[in-house]
Amino acid sequence: MAEPRGAADGGPRRVDVTFSPPTPNGDLHLGHLSGPVLASDVCARSQKILGNDVAFASSTDDNQTYVVTTARRLGTTPEALIRQALGSVRGTLGAAAVGVDLFERPDERYETFVRTFFTTLWEAGAFDRREVELPYDAESGQYRAEAFVTGRCPSCLAHARAGVCEACGLYNLPGALLPVEDGGPALPREPVPIWVLDLERYRSMITGFYASPEGAVQRPDLRGVVAETLAGRLPAIPVTYPGDWGISVDWDGPDAPPQTVNAWPEIYVGHLYWLRRARETRDAIAGRESRAGACDELVQFIGIDNGFYNAFVYLALSLLAVEHGLPVERPATRTITNQYFLLEGRKFSTSKGDVVWAGDYLAGAGRDRARFVLALTSPELQQSEFTEQVAAATLKTRFDEPLAVIDAALNERLAGRGIDAPPSPWWRSALEASVRRFEGAYALDTFSIRRAAEALALHLEVLALRGARLRTDDPSEVSGALMFLWALRVLAWPVTPDLAAGVAAAFETTTADSLAGAPPPEPPPEPPPLLEDVAEPPSGHFRGISLARR
């Protein structure tokens, strides 16, 4: 997909960024943080340093059945679990410096928006009424689906819950799972009418999209999901399930059993709603006319377990919404996936208790250090094992030690010096090379938090090695080293914002006789630094710095 340049009106590009809403059955774990959450924040920040107008929003995914199953396991109520999880997740997002414009939970206004969206498509005939067989619990009088149903994936044989396989990312109906002995006695299946989105009915629309330039898929794991799914008959996805957990609809009349919107298709509509709310709120604060819903590009960050829904269900819903005149726009959309962190060979899972909590890790490692190592080791393209021992060793050699050398060398040798001469050719070339590396990592077409963290590690390594033997009697060498450091106020900001703020504060603008290592002033608020200013020298002298253990 070619990366668009500039908005249609000639102003800054409006980019919406979101990540898969976490199920509120616990706090964020490192799998969440190292994958879509951190990646979306780095993306939003990198788009800001490129000068784009960015909205960044998400929410909790309250209507997933995992909330109900976890609440039962913990002996609490779903509502109490949601409230506790919302507070925990918000705290972790703040601790990790994830700068969402808005992170809320569904409310009445949200439910009305979702219900109106699906009801409009239902009235237009976009969905089909089908009778399907679902496991039926006679004791509770309820049909079971999604988190209530476990078995073996019929595609890859991994242990899975109904709806989607977290291992291969492919869809499965509750009745399609292979039964397992450790799942307890299988419930009998009973026929029940539901409403479905028959993707095979829209095959030509979907294949037409993927045959177009707009349909280019960025990550290979998602390309695999698309190719494998298109190779067979496309499934019919439940839009409603019988039950009372979720957003109710009365499409079958007041006397029919209650049905609720399937939480998986709901996520797409939630993205529309929360990003619109984020832009409305920002426009209101700025006192300008709202253009909520109008953006040039939507960037979605997901784990591969959400790949099928993004690639097929959300695509079909977006195309149908435009076709049937819903008041939504369909901007250029890209979906950036990640694979999983493993913990002793198992996927991180809140519902199964296989986790390292993100909040606990942040408290021990520190914000910038956690962001750096999770970005550097993120399972972007393949699963990887997380161990705190390996993470600690990586931080020591690639982050802590270079920063300690930089602190010692520059404070001792360059405090009070300024950029008083053109940087030497060596430093100019080094800075140009580093900027290119960061630009490649931050560009949407080639976006990668691993590459961004690697670019940062190499920038620090070069500064530490050359700074330790810097010729302080050569003004061009002094200027080059200080410009290379100064560039981090921009280049590092998406990955390690505290380090970037420390660099910005190290060049005071009044006197040059501040003591090296003196506490820097509070970092300025937004607007963020801009990449176009990366080579613009500071107006003040270097006052000393303390970057180690940030």
Side-chain angles (χ1 to χ4, degrees):
M1 180 187 294
E3 189 157 357
R5 300 292 179 186
D9 60 6
R13 293 185 63 238
R14 291 164 62 90
V15 180
D16 284 355
V17 179
T18 189
F19 58 86
S20 298
T23 303
N25 58 350
D27 198 357
L28 297 178
H29 55 62
L30 284 192
H32 297 128
L33 187 57
S34 68
V37 176
L38 180 58
S40 60
D41 183 64
V42 173
C43 177
R45 288 173 176 272
S46 63
Q47 288 301 298
K48 288 178 181 179
I49 70 172
L50 292 172
N52 292 324
D53 177 7
V54 180
F56 179 26
S58 190
S59 71
T60 52
D61 191 13
D62 290 12
N63 296 319
Q64 288 285 357
T65 49
Y66 289 92
V67 175
V68 181
T69 57
T70 302
R72 288 183 180 179
R73 177 169 56 84
L74 297 178
T76 187
T77 65
E79 178 61 25
L81 180 61
I82 290 170
R83 288 199 304 269
Q84 180 183 29
L86 176 64
S88 298
V89 171
R90 279 178 170 165
T92 298
L93 293 175
V98 175
V100 284
D101 296 310
L102 180 149
F103 186 83
E104 299 288 347
R105 62 168 295 193
D107 54 15
E108 185 175 347
R109 183 177 164 189
Y110 168 88
E111 290 186 4
T112 299
F113 184 90
V114 171
R115 188 178 291 112
T116 299
F117 180 95
F118 283 103
T119 298
T120 301
L121 292 185
W122 170 75
E123 290 173 340
F127 307 139
D128 297 294
R129 193 171 187 266
R130 299 276 176 85
E131 190 172 84
V132 300
E133 288 191 345
L134 293 177
Y136 181 72
D137 184 351
E139 183 176 345
S140 65
Q142 293 183 333
Y143 292 90
R144 297 302 190 190
E146 305 294 337
F148 289 101
V149 183
T150 62
R152 291 284 171 177
C153 172
S155 298
C156 73
L157 298 183
H159 189 275
R161 286 180 169 84
V164 69
C165 175
E166 293 186 352
C168 67
L170 297 177
Y171 177 76
N172 63 73
L173 275 167
L177 289 174
L178 304 176
V180 291
E181 294 181 0
D182 58 0
L187 292 172
R189 298 179 192 171
E190 297 287 343
V192 61
I194 63 172
W195 289 90
V196 301
L197 172 65
D198 188 347
L199 293 173
E200 185 65 30
R201 176 180 165 188
Y202 302 111
R203 174 180 281 273
S204 61
M205 179 177 71
I206 293 169
T207 56
F209 171 82
Y210 282 117
S212 71
E214 185 186 3
V217 181
Q218 193 149 329
R219 292 276 167 91
D221 49 7
L222 189 58
R223 286 200 295 271
V225 169
V226 170
E228 189 166 347
T229 302
L230 286 174
R233 181 178 179 83
L234 299 181
I237 306 302
V239 175
T240 65
Y241 276 122
D244 54 9
W245 183 255
I247 299 174
S248 63
V249 291
D250 59 356
W251 301 343
D252 293 330
D255 298 328
Q259 299 245 355
T260 58
V261 174
N262 181 357
W264 284 97
E266 178 195 326
I267 290 174
Y268 163 72
V269 189
H271 287 331
L272 296 178
Y273 177 82
W274 296 115
L275 288 165
R276 179 173 298 188
R277 278 276 297 272
R279 287 204 177 271
E280 285 175 349
T281 301
R282 289 175 44 200
D283 290 341
I285 293 172
R288 60 180 179 239
E289 181 181 356
S290 179
R291 291 177 56 203
C295 74
D296 299 297
E297 183 149 11
L298 168 63
V299 189
Q300 307 171 110
F301 286 85
I302 64 169
I304 190 56
D305 53 339
N306 290 339
F308 168 81
Y309 281 95
N310 277 75
F312 288 94
V313 180
Y314 303 168
L315 170 64
L317 289 174
S318 68
L319 295 172
L320 289 169
V322 173
E323 178 181 328
H324 294 296
L326 276 160
V328 299
E329 295 194 0
R330 202 180 168 282
T333 302
R334 69 177 76 224
T335 299
I336 301 180
T337 58
N338 64 266
Q339 284 287 340
Y340 309 125
F341 259 154
L342 302 178
L343 186 64
E344 296 180 356
R346 302 184 303 276
K347 176 184 176 293
F348 276 60
S349 172
T350 302
S351 59
K352 297 177 183 178
D354 294 331
V355 295
V356 173
W357 296 113
D360 293 341
Y361 187 73
L362 285 160
R367 181 158 65 189
D368 265 12
R369 297 176 78 247
R371 288 174 64 100
F372 172 81
V373 75
L374 293 177
L376 189 65
T377 61
S378 174
E380 285 186 325
L381 301 179
Q382 63 184 23
Q383 295 178 358
S384 60
E385 184 81 24
F386 175 83
T387 69
E388 296 200 39
Q389 295 85 350
V390 171
T394 301
L395 279 168
K396 180 176 182 292
T397 58
R398 310 276 339 251
F399 196 70
D400 297 340
E401 290 179 349
L403 286 178
V405 171
I406 291 167
D407 281 3
L410 299 193
N411 286 339
E412 177 183 348
R413 311 179 77 189
L414 299 184
R417 301 290 294 270
I419 300 174
D420 303 321
S424 69
W426 192 95
W427 281 112
R428 279 202 312 272
S429 296
L431 182 56
E432 290 169 2
S434 189
V435 170
R436 285 195 300 271
R437 287 183 66 93
F438 278 102
E439 285 178 332
Y442 292 152
L444 291 180
D445 281 345
T446 52
F447 180 81
S448 167
I449 60 172
R450 289 189 70 139
R451 291 177 62 192
E454 180 65 25
L456 176 56
L458 289 172
H459 196 105
L460 296 177
E461 180 182 315
V462 166
L463 187 57
L465 290 173
R466 189 151 180 114
R469 58 176 189 270
L470 192 70
R471 290 178 50 200
T472 57
D473 60 341
D474 184 342
S476 68
E477 280 290 294
V478 170
S479 294
L482 291 178
M483 274 302 302
F484 202 72
L485 171 67
W486 175 242
L488 287 174
R489 84 200 184 280
V490 180
L491 301 176
W493 190 73
V495 180
T496 51
D498 293 340
L499 186 153
V503 169
F507 291 82
E508 49 83 32
T509 59
T510 53
T511 64
D513 55 359
S514 300
L515 292 176
E522 286 296 315
E526 300 282 354
L530 295 177
L531 188 60
E532 64 185 24
D533 298 330
V534 70
E536 186 71 23
S539 56
H541 289 74
F542 177 60
R543 68 190 301 274
I545 200 163
S546 179
L547 297 177
R549 191 65 188 183
R550 297 191 76 84

